[in-house]
Every structure is written in C-alpha cells, then in structure tokens.
Amino acid sequence: MTAGAHGRRDRSGDEDLGGRLNQLRAGVLGANDGIVSTAGIVIGMAAATTRVPVILAAGLAGLAAGALSMASGEYVSVSTQRDTERALLEAEREQLARDPDAALDELTHEYVGKGLSESLARQVATELSAGDALAAHADAELHLDPDELTNPWQAAFASIVSFTIGGMLPLLAIILCPVEVRIPVTFGAVVLALVLTGWVSARLGHAPPGRATVRTVIGGALAMVTTYVLGRAFNV
Ligand SMILES: [Zn+2]
C-alpha cells in the first residue's frame, strides 16, 4: 500500500468512496509486487533445476519473506503517519483549550480561504465550534477525522493478503505445469496478470491506462528475464 492511501478523509460520502478506491488500488499494487517478485524467484529456480520441491520451497520462502517485508514496511509507515496525525490533533486540542478566540479566528480564516465571505465564514466557524470544535478544526485544517485514523495492523494485514494472492499465481503456474512448458506458461500467465493489475491500478488512480500497463508489463518481464539468466548460469 502507498502511504497516500491512509488517513485523509472527510465525513462526506465522496471522500469515503475515494478512500476505499485508494485502498483497492493499494491492494492491486500489493498483488502486483507479489506477482513480480514470486515470478522472478520461481522462474530463476526453474531455470536452474527441474526439481519441483526445490522450486516450491524457494517460491514459498520468497513469498513469505516478501509479504512480511511489505507488511512491516507498511506497519512502520502507517504508525509514523498516525503518530504525526495524533501530534497535530493534540496541538489543536491544546490551542482550543488555551485560546479559543484565536482558534475561532483561525477556523474563520480557513473558510475565507475556501471562498466564503468574512461574515459567513465567521458564522460557519462559530456554529461548527459550538458542536465538536476539535473535529471542525481537524477537518478544515488537517483534513483528518479524529475518529478515523488508519490502523497500522489493518494496513499490514492488507499487504500480507494482497501480496500473497499475487504471489500464488506464478507459484501455482510453475508447479502445476509439465516441465517442458513450465517457464513459458508461467511467463505468459504473469504477463497477462500484469496487464490486468497495470490497467486496473491506472484506472483507479485516474491515469491513462495504456502507458501504465506497458510499464508494468515491461518491469515484470525484465525481472523474469534477469532471474532466468541467473538461474541458467547455475544450471549444471
Ligand atoms: Zn485550529
């Protein structure tokens, strides 16, 4: 998952939908990582040996290591982001307690910046502050919902799941195929899967999908060709 997918949301339905699409896109990118790294390992191994248990052991070890590495990276990144968000919320809470008038001026200024007139902005800020003042400041100034900070465990678990789903594809392709066609079939299955992940993640990110798909496929193909050449070098 990408760090940009977390933490930023609003109470409106559109923003919630945007958040879910971001999470979906992060999942597709995680699957993409799982596909490419596992494909590289099993194709490299299949180039070096025809023994299925050896290929399977290497593929599973690579899949587990990759999924856990991605999950711990995600855990650290989301935890750090959540610490930052909590510190910012704490600063807002302190300011509200210490100097509510200055806080109200600040919130008014935010709404003037968004295009409201001075008097309407003051009225909006005053009414919002009469309710949950901290939530109003967090929303307008930090684009955060204090009750909806991203959970690092959830992010880590999501990376494990998406990476594993992606990695299973080349692993199954290589161990289920007969030895003569093992490498080309796996290569082809991975290219097709990368066309799908490249296309879907570009569409979810509102990018033109053609170029993104070509880049994704070229990246994966380079990884597989590289490990194939390395594996051949050890084939005796
Ligand atoms: Zn404030």
Side-chain angles (χ1 to χ4, degrees):
M1 283 199 194
T2 52
H6 308 297
R8 306 249 148 198
R9 32 168 108 145
D10 209 58
R11 272 153 297 272
S12 76
D14 275 3
E15 288 288 323
D16 269 358
L17 181 63
R20 271 199 294 277
L21 286 179
N22 266 338
Q23 282 173 354
L24 187 58
R25 180 159 179 265
V28 173
L29 293 174
N32 196 82
D33 278 1
I35 293 169
V36 172
S37 72
T38 311
I41 291 169
V42 296
I43 283 185
M45 289 304 291
T49 177
T50 54
R51 294 178 56 206
V52 170
V54 175
I55 299 171
L56 180 61
L60 282 174
L63 209 167
L68 290 171
S69 147
M70 193 178 165
S72 63
E74 191 64 11
Y75 181 87
V76 170
S77 138
V78 172
S79 298
T80 306
Q81 187 187 334
R82 196 169 63 163
D83 290 346
T84 308
E85 290 168 353
R86 280 182 174 156
L88 290 168
L89 287 170
E90 194 44 49
E92 285 295 329
R93 194 176 284 124
E94 248 170 53
Q95 191 204 18
L96 277 167
R98 188 172 22 101
D99 194 349
D101 289 343
L104 186 65
D105 287 346
E106 207 181 85
L107 193 55
T108 304
H109 188 73
E110 283 291 325
Y111 289 113
V112 170
K114 286 181 209 266
L116 299 187
S117 70
E118 181 74 38
S119 63
L120 183 56
R122 165 118 352 226
Q123 193 186 343
V124 168
T126 307
E127 287 193 21
L128 288 174
S129 299
D132 187 344
L134 179 64
H137 280 256
D139 181 39
E141 294 162 26
L142 309 171
H143 310 291
L144 286 176
D145 181 341
D147 299 323
E148 299 263 340
L149 300 187
T150 309
N151 182 338
W153 287 110
Q154 202 180 317
F157 181 72
S159 338
I160 290 182
V161 171
S162 58
F163 190 99
T164 303
I165 290 173
M168 288 309 285
L169 173 92
L171 193 59
L172 289 175
I174 208 118
I175 62 171
L176 295 179
C177 280
V179 61
E180 322 79 65
V181 293
R182 195 172 273 164
I183 292 175
V185 168
T186 304
F187 188 93
V190 166
V191 166
L192 284 180
L194 293 180
V195 167
L196 190 70
T197 58
W199 183 273
V200 171
S201 68
R203 289 306 302 261
L204 291 172
H206 304 291
R211 254 179 292 167
T213 306
V214 170
R215 285 189 202 115
T216 308
V217 170
I218 289 176
L222 273 176
M224 291 187 286
V225 169
T226 304
T227 59
Y228 177 80
V229 169
L230 287 170
R232 290 303 291 181
F234 287 93
N235 186 328
V236 280

